[in-house]
Amino acid sequence: MNKTILVTKRLTLAPLNESDKPLFIELCMDPGVMEHCYDPSTLEEAEAGFEAFAQPWDSNSHDWLCFGITETNTGDKVGNISIKILDHKTRAAEVGFLLSPNKQGRGYAFEALEALVKFAVTALDIQTLIAICSVNNVSSIKLLEKSGFIRTALLKNNVVINSEYIDDYRYERAVS
């Protein structure tokens, strides 16, 4: 399953490979990109993260399947989008995404998320998708709601970023 390639009108989503590594590392180390996720990574942490996300994956895995997002026409790297099966019995999975700041605002995240949702349903038989999002991440909140995710919980003090506790929202989308 690690060879799965998803193609949309403008994008190609393929499992992470070495060509995705520079942008992956750049995004993980960028304080502006990571503002609503985690503390920015060091170079060593970002490289280790890439290696972890680029590991072989199959539908029985408990790890993330991470797709690099590429503009099909230009070959430009856009970011990455991932899915992790949280519960194999109830068929629940979590999704996450990071896009390059200079590629945001073009509908790419929506397009990639819809392709990932379709893959989750058809190839993985996922019943429920979950996303965790900072209460301050207005762009991601709008994206998730536009994509049919429903806010189901406020997770108080869910993560520490820059030595401060941050609240997150939990979003779900039933896809069965």
Side-chain angles (χ1 to χ4, degrees), residues 135-176:
V135 299
N136 299 316
N137 191 341
V138 176
S139 296
S140 289
I141 290 169
K142 288 179 181 178
L143 168 66
L144 292 168
E145 291 176 353
K146 179 180 177 182
S147 295
F149 284 77
I150 305 295
R151 186 182 309 164
T152 59
L154 171 63
L155 308 172
K156 297 291 288 177
N157 300 323
N158 195 49
V159 67
V160 177
I161 302 174
N162 296 321
S163 302
E164 291 186 35
Y165 282 98
I166 305 295
D167 296 344
D168 285 334
Y169 290 130
R170 176 185 170 110
Y171 281 87
E172 294 186 19
R173 178 174 167 180
V175 291
S176 58

Side-chain angles (χ1 to χ4, degrees), residues 110-130:
F110 178 78
E111 196 171 318
L113 183 55
E114 289 307 296
L116 189 66
V117 168
K118 183 177 178 183
F119 168 75
V121 172
T122 60
L124 303 178
D125 191 33
I126 296 300
Q127 306 285 314
T128 305
L129 288 170
I130 297 163

Side-chain angles (χ1 to χ4, degrees), residues 50-155:
F50 178 82
E51 295 306 322
F53 275 87
Q55 290 299 309
W57 187 93
D58 67 42
S59 60
N60 296 313
S61 178
H62 294 279
D63 297 316
W64 289 93
L65 169 58
C66 188
F67 292 94
I69 306 169
T70 304
E71 288 178 338
T72 304
N73 288 342
T74 65
D76 288 350
K77 299 297 182 180
V78 173
N80 59 71
I81 189 164
S82 306
I83 186 166
K84 178 181 182 179
I85 300 174
L86 299 174
D87 188 322
H88 289 271
K89 290 180 183 172
T90 64
R91 308 308 300 163
E94 184 175 354
V95 297
F97 41 85
L98 289 176
L99 265 66
S100 175
N102 66 356
K103 299 293 183 179
Q104 294 176 11
R106 301 180 190 188
Y108 289 155
F110 178 78
E111 196 171 318
L113 183 55
E114 289 307 296
L116 189 66
V117 168
K118 183 177 178 183
F119 168 75
V121 172
T122 60
L124 303 178
D125 191 33
I126 296 300
Q127 306 285 314
T128 305
L129 288 170
I130 297 163
I132 306 298
C133 177
S134 165
V135 299
N136 299 316
N137 191 341
V138 176
S139 296
S140 289
I141 290 169
K142 288 179 181 178
L143 168 66
L144 292 168
E145 291 176 353
K146 179 180 177 182
S147 295
F149 284 77
I150 305 295
R151 186 182 309 164
T152 59
L154 171 63
L155 308 172

